[in-house]
Amino acid sequence: MGFIRRLWDLFWKPSGKIGLGVLLVFGGFGGVIFWGGFNTAMEATNTMGFCISCHEMESTVYQEYKETIHYKNASGVQATCSDCHVPRAWTAKLVRKIEATGELYHHFVGTIDTKEKFEAHRATMAKRVWATMEANDSQECRNCHTFEAMDFHAQRPASAEAMQGAQEKGETCISCHKGIAHKMPDLSSGYLAMFDELRALSQEEGARADKLYTIATKDIFAEASTDGKPTGRLLAATELDVIERKGDLLKVRLDGWQQDGVERVVYALRGQRIFSATLSKAAIESVQRHQTEIDENTELTWHRVSVEAWTPKADLISDVNVLWEYGAEMYNASCSTCHTLSSPDHLLANQWIGNLKAMSRFISLDKEQYRFLQKYLQFHASDTGGKGH
C-alpha cells in the first residue's frame, strides 16, 4: 500500500509543482484542440471562397474556370480549386500549403495584384503548375479520372483513340490537357525574350570570333559593300568561318554540300536537307567544289563545296549552344501544349520536314521562326545529333 500511495502522490497529489498526470491530461486535450484547429484552418484554405478572395484570382482564372465543364455540367459534379491543385495525402498537402505561402507573399508585395501583372506572369506560373503535375503523374486529375473507368465506346472516336494511345504510352493527363480549366498563356514570350537576348549578344560580341553562327536570315554580297544586289541568303543557325574584316562587314566562308540539280541550295550535311544558304544564279559560278560523292541509299550525287561572300557583322554569335537553348525553348512552347513533347532524336533529319509541316497549322510561328525550329530539330535528329556544330 505504501508503494501505491507514493505512486499516487507522484502523479496526482497537488504540490509546489503540477503533477505529471495533470500535465498529460491537459497536454492531451491541448494537442487534440491544436490538431483539430490546425486541420480546420488548413481545410478552410481549400475552399473556393478562400481561393478567390484575392482579386487577381477572382477576376482572372476564376472567370475562366466558370466557363468550363469542371464548374457547370449535366451531372452537377464540380471540381473546385483544391481538387486540382492540392494533393489529398496529408503529408503532400502540408508541403503544398507551405509552398503556397510564397504565393501569398507575392500577392501582398504586389507581384500579381492586378490583372495586367497577373497576365505578365501567367506563363511562368502555368509552367510551374504543369511541371508539378507532370512530376506527380497528374495525381489530382487521376483522383477523379482513370483509364480503367473510361468507357472508350462512349467517347468520340478521335478522343478514344487519343486516350487509348496515351494509356499505352504511359502519358500523363497534363500533357494534353493544359488548357482544360484556364486560358492558355502566351508561351511565345519565353523564346521571344531569348531572341532579344541573342540579338543583344550579337551586338555585344561584335562578331569578333573566327567561327560564328547566324541567329537570323542574312544577305550575302559578292563585294565588301551592301549597295549592290545580294548574291544569296544565309539561313539562321548556319556556321561560318571569318576570313577578313572590313568595317561593319565580314568576309566569311560557308562549307556545305550541293546536290546535282539543286545547285542554288547549300545544305549543311550530305544527304540531310538541312538548309544553310540559298544562292543567286550568278553566285553559283563562284562556288568551289572539293569532292563528289554518291549517296548509296538514294543514288543522288552530292558535292562538298565552299562559298565565300561578304555579310554585315550583325546577328552573328560565337556560341552555338546559346542558339540551341533558344531552339529548345521554342520547341517546348510550340509543341508541348497538345501532347507530350517528344525528343528531337525520335525522327530522322529529313523526316522532320514533313512532320513539322503536318503540325504547322497548330503552331503560330512566322516563316523565320518556323525555319529555325525545323533546323533546330534536324540538327538534333537521330541521324545528326548536332553534327556539323
Side-chain angles (χ1 to χ4, degrees):
M1 288 296 293
F3 171 76
I4 295 176
R5 182 68 180 180
R6 287 195 300 272
L7 189 61
W8 174 268
D9 290 342
L10 176 64
F11 279 92
W12 301 108
K13 187 175 181 179
S15 64
K17 297 182 180 179
I18 299 175
L20 180 59
V22 176
L23 291 175
L24 289 173
V25 171
F26 279 95
F29 277 119
V32 169
I33 293 172
F34 171 79
W35 194 254
F38 179 78
N39 277 281
T40 299
M42 191 160 64
E43 288 304 316
T45 63
N46 275 354
T47 62
M48 180 81 74
F50 178 84
C51 293
I52 64 173
S53 59
C54 299
H55 171 71
E56 59 266 26
M57 292 297 178
E58 192 279 334
S59 63
T60 54
V61 290
Y62 177 62
Q63 300 304 321
E64 298 160 8
Y65 156 73
K66 285 169 63 177
E67 301 300 318
T68 71
I69 197 170
H70 281 111
Y71 178 83
K72 188 175 182 180
N73 52 70
S75 65
V77 177
Q78 190 179 73
T80 62
C81 306
S82 59
D83 291 321
C84 297
H85 295 286
V86 181
R88 291 185 179 180
W90 194 88
T91 303
K93 182 191 297 185
L94 180 61
V95 171
R96 179 69 189 95
K97 294 300 182 182
I98 294 173
E99 293 174 345
T101 58
E103 297 165 16
L104 290 175
Y105 167 79
H106 285 289
H107 163 72
F108 288 116
V109 300
T111 306
I112 54 173
D113 63 342
T114 67
K115 191 171 184 178
E116 292 72 23
K117 292 180 182 178
F118 186 92
E119 290 299 332
H121 290 84
R122 183 189 281 263
T124 301
M125 294 186 292
K127 287 179 181 179
R128 188 180 300 123
V129 173
W130 296 340
T132 298
M133 298 184 78
E134 287 175 354
N136 68 13
D137 194 20
S138 304
Q139 183 56 58
E140 280 61 68
C141 300
R142 297 184 190 279
N143 287 334
C144 297
H145 305 279
T146 65
F147 286 123
E148 293 74 21
M150 290 181 185
D151 184 353
F152 295 117
H153 297 290
Q155 297 177 355
R156 288 178 297 178
S159 298
E161 182 180 356
M163 284 292 186
Q164 289 172 304
Q167 183 180 21
E168 292 173 1
K169 297 175 183 177
E171 294 180 350
T172 192
C173 311
I174 197 61
S175 298
C176 302
H177 297 285
K178 291 184 174 68
I180 196 68
H182 304 298
K183 184 180 74 175
M184 282 292 296
D186 179 11
L187 297 178
S188 67
S189 59
Y191 63 80
L192 290 177
M194 291 182 74
F195 184 76
D196 290 339
E197 292 173 1
L198 285 174
R199 183 149 279 171
L201 180 62
S202 71
Q203 294 173 351
E204 179 183 323
E205 288 189 345
R208 292 189 295 268
D210 292 330
K211 189 175 291 293
L212 298 167
Y213 303 88
T214 55
I215 66 171
T217 301
K218 291 171 56 65
D219 289 333
I220 54 176
F221 301 85
E223 305 294 336
S225 171
T226 57
D227 294 334
K229 187 177 180 180
T231 56
R233 307 188 80 188
L234 300 170
L235 278 71
T238 294
E239 181 181 295
L240 303 170
D241 289 305
V242 178
I243 301 173
E244 184 180 342
R245 290 177 168 83
K246 186 175 182 180
D248 290 334
L249 295 174
L250 301 175
K251 187 175 184 180
V252 297
R253 185 183 72 249
L254 164 66
D255 295 315
W257 293 83
Q258 279 183 330
Q259 179 192 326
D260 268 1
V262 197
E263 284 78 10
R264 294 188 62 176
V265 178
V266 178
Y267 298 96
L269 300 173
R270 193 207 72 176
Q272 280 93 15
R273 301 185 185 282
I274 305 174
F275 298 91
S276 291
T278 57
L279 306 175
S280 66
K281 290 182 179 179
I284 294 176
E285 298 178 2
S286 65
V287 173
Q288 301 175 47
R289 289 188 176 181
H290 304 290
Q291 71 182 75
T292 298
E293 296 181 7
I294 298 177
D295 189 327
E296 59 184 16
N297 295 319
T298 62
E299 297 185 353
L300 294 174
T301 301
W302 291 82
H303 308 281
R304 188 169 66 83
V305 301
S306 60
V307 181
E308 295 182 3
W310 290 87
T311 189
K313 68 179 183 180
D315 293 340
L316 293 165
I317 63 172
S318 60
D319 187 356
V320 72
N321 293 317
V322 178
L323 199 60
W324 293 149
E325 288 172 6
Y326 163 62
E329 176 64 25
M330 181 185 292
Y331 179 44
N332 181 68
S334 302
C335 303
S336 69
T337 55
C338 299
H339 56 76
T340 299
L341 195 67
S342 300
S343 174
D345 64 6
H346 85 289
L347 290 178
L348 300 173
N350 289 342
Q351 289 176 327
W352 268 117
I353 299 174
N355 184 275
L356 196 58
K357 184 176 181 180
M359 303 300 291
S360 61
R361 66 184 186 276
F362 300 114
I363 57 180
S364 55
L365 300 175
D366 61 29
K367 288 183 179 180
E368 177 74 19
Q369 294 164 343
Y370 181 89
R371 293 191 192 106
F372 177 82
L373 177 59
Q374 177 175 298
K375 198 165 183 179
Y376 162 77
L377 293 170
Q378 288 181 298
F379 263 122
H380 293 79
S382 59
D383 57 340
T384 57
K387 288 179 181 177
H389 290 304

